[in-house]
Amino acid sequence: MTYQPPGTLYVVATPIGNLEDLTPRAARILESVSRIAAEDTRHSARLLNHLGINKPLLSLHEHNEAHRVEALDAYLEAGESIALVSDAGTPLISDPGFILVRALRLRNRHVVPVPGACALTAALSAAGLPTDRFTFAGFLPAKAGARRQTLESYLKREETLVFYESPHRILATLEALEEQMPARPVVLARELTKTFETFLQGTPAELLATLAEDPNQARGEFVVMIGGASITGASSEQAVDDETLLKTLLDEGVGVKQGAAIAAKLLGGRKKAWYERLLLMKSEAQIKP
Ligand code: SAM
């Protein structure tokens, strides 16, 4: 066991569904610290009750994090050790904690990770998509236009793309993927470590059909993983070629409907998705000065 001096902040991962995923080290640290900073104190109190741990809790969430820095730093200065937890998984991974950890590092405080569950790594570890390189994009923007733009910026990337998604946007996200990345393999990791954990895989269109058939599959928490441009049969050059073909079709005056049929035949994927992509390109071309 490595020695940690007094006045340490421990960044402690907690389970993302299955309580057995709390590590013995995490339990020992939570038991040993003077106080626990939690994203939602009521939520974490349930976990701590389950562990039989009773410690002073203070809230640390996106709206008060900056204001908490001084108070927490003062506790550390006084030699107290503190644990930081979020509602589930690893703090700072699409969760609060960055402002605090950055401030404490700048002040040369001891900040120690206590690793454990994280939906991102759990999902990737069992999805069967390449993991040698990946981009984690957090949550996609909620608004359709911004979401489309974000996906557009990843179109030619060859590594696996991963993001978090909430149940009320999963259909809209799959529709956006069908439009912009119709031929990509997508894996949805749902309700990881919980009773109804499911991995669904297919093209965006296939996944939409699965979710339409069984709406229960659209419930719960999701990690969305998308194969990079290199494993769709579409290399990055191919992605460029797709654009060139679509642009040529429009430049030659081929109608959107006919263009979509040609693209589906030559490049694969669904006519509807090519139709929407061509429509979008056409309207964008009209907007340009
Ligand atoms: N810090 C957490 C972690 O380490 O994974 C992530 C927190 S983020 C606010 C919550 C998102 O993580 C959810 O909307 C979902 O996308 C993903 N997530 C968390 N738990 C999950 C689970 N059990 N199964 C699938 N996705 C999960």
Side-chain angles (χ1 to χ4, degrees):
M1 204 185 303
T2 41
Y3 168 76
Q4 299 300 346
T8 295
L9 176 83
Y10 294 94
V11 183
V12 181
T14 56
I16 55 170
N18 188 329
L19 290 180
E20 285 178 356
D21 290 334
L22 188 94
T23 67
R25 181 176 173 219
R28 180 175 58 76
I29 299 280
L30 291 171
E31 178 63 62
S32 71
V33 292
S34 311
R35 56 189 81 234
I36 298 173
E39 181 182 7
D40 176 341
T41 51
R42 279 196 304 182
H43 184 98
S44 295
R46 286 197 287 275
L47 173 71
L48 296 167
N49 280 340
H50 168 81
L51 297 170
I53 295 174
N54 185 10
K55 296 277 160 168
L57 287 168
L58 82 168
S59 71
L60 183 127
H61 46 69
E62 59 175 330
H63 303 296
N64 72 359
E65 185 172 353
H67 301 291
R68 286 284 193 227
V69 170
E70 292 310 323
L72 287 167
D73 191 45
Y75 290 131
L76 296 171
E77 177 66 27
E80 286 193 15
S81 284
I82 298 170
L84 170 68
V85 296
S86 60
D87 287 355
T90 302
L92 280 81
I93 306 300
S94 291
D95 265 342
F98 162 66
I99 293 173
L100 175 68
V101 169
R102 181 179 55 178
L104 295 182
R105 284 240 165 258
L106 286 172
R107 296 171 191 201
N108 287 323
R109 295 268 176 233
H110 296 278
V111 181
V112 172
V114 183
C118 177
L120 164 68
T121 48
L124 274 173
S125 72
L129 287 171
T131 50
D132 52 338
R133 286 180 302 145
F134 61 86
T135 290
F136 175 54
F139 285 93
L140 287 180
K143 293 209 168 122
R147 191 168 47 218
R148 182 179 290 124
Q149 259 187 355
T150 304
L151 286 175
E152 188 77 32
S153 71
Y154 291 119
L155 211 53
K156 292 172 194 166
R157 300 281 284 267
E158 298 200 341
E159 71 274 23
T160 299
L161 171 64
V162 190
F163 52 86
Y164 285 163
E165 193 50 281
S166 71
H168 55 274
R169 279 208 294 272
I170 190 71
L171 290 177
T173 292
L174 285 173
E175 279 160 9
L177 288 175
E178 189 195 12
E179 186 187 313
Q180 293 176 265
M181 304 183 179
R184 297 293 179 88
V186 176
V187 180
L188 297 183
R190 178 179 154 263
E191 294 289 88
L192 287 162
T193 78
K194 302 183 197 176
T195 312
F196 296 108
E197 176 181 281
T198 328
F199 279 78
L200 294 174
Q201 57 194 24
T203 62
E206 287 165 347
L207 291 172
L208 277 168
T210 306
L211 267 50
E213 219 170 85
D214 180 3
N216 279 332
Q217 297 292 336
R219 301 213 172 98
E221 298 191 278
F222 289 92
V223 181
V224 181
M225 292 161 283
I226 304 158
S230 58
I231 67 157
T232 57
S235 64
S236 56
E237 292 79 20
Q238 174 79 44
V240 174
D241 281 348
D242 294 359
E243 289 285 318
T244 313
L245 175 75
L246 298 179
K247 195 169 170 310
T248 309
L249 289 170
L250 291 177
D251 289 348
E252 292 300 319
V254 176
V256 169
K257 196 169 163 198
Q258 201 191 351
I262 295 171
K265 203 160 195 173
L266 293 179
L267 304 170
R270 292 196 349 161
K271 254 192 275 182
K272 181 170 173 271
W274 290 118
Y275 181 86
E276 281 164 8
R277 182 127 162 233
L278 277 163
L279 258 192
L280 185 72
M281 284 176 76
K282 198 172 169 181
S283 64
E284 281 173 355
Q286 278 160 358
I287 296 166
K288 276 186 192 138

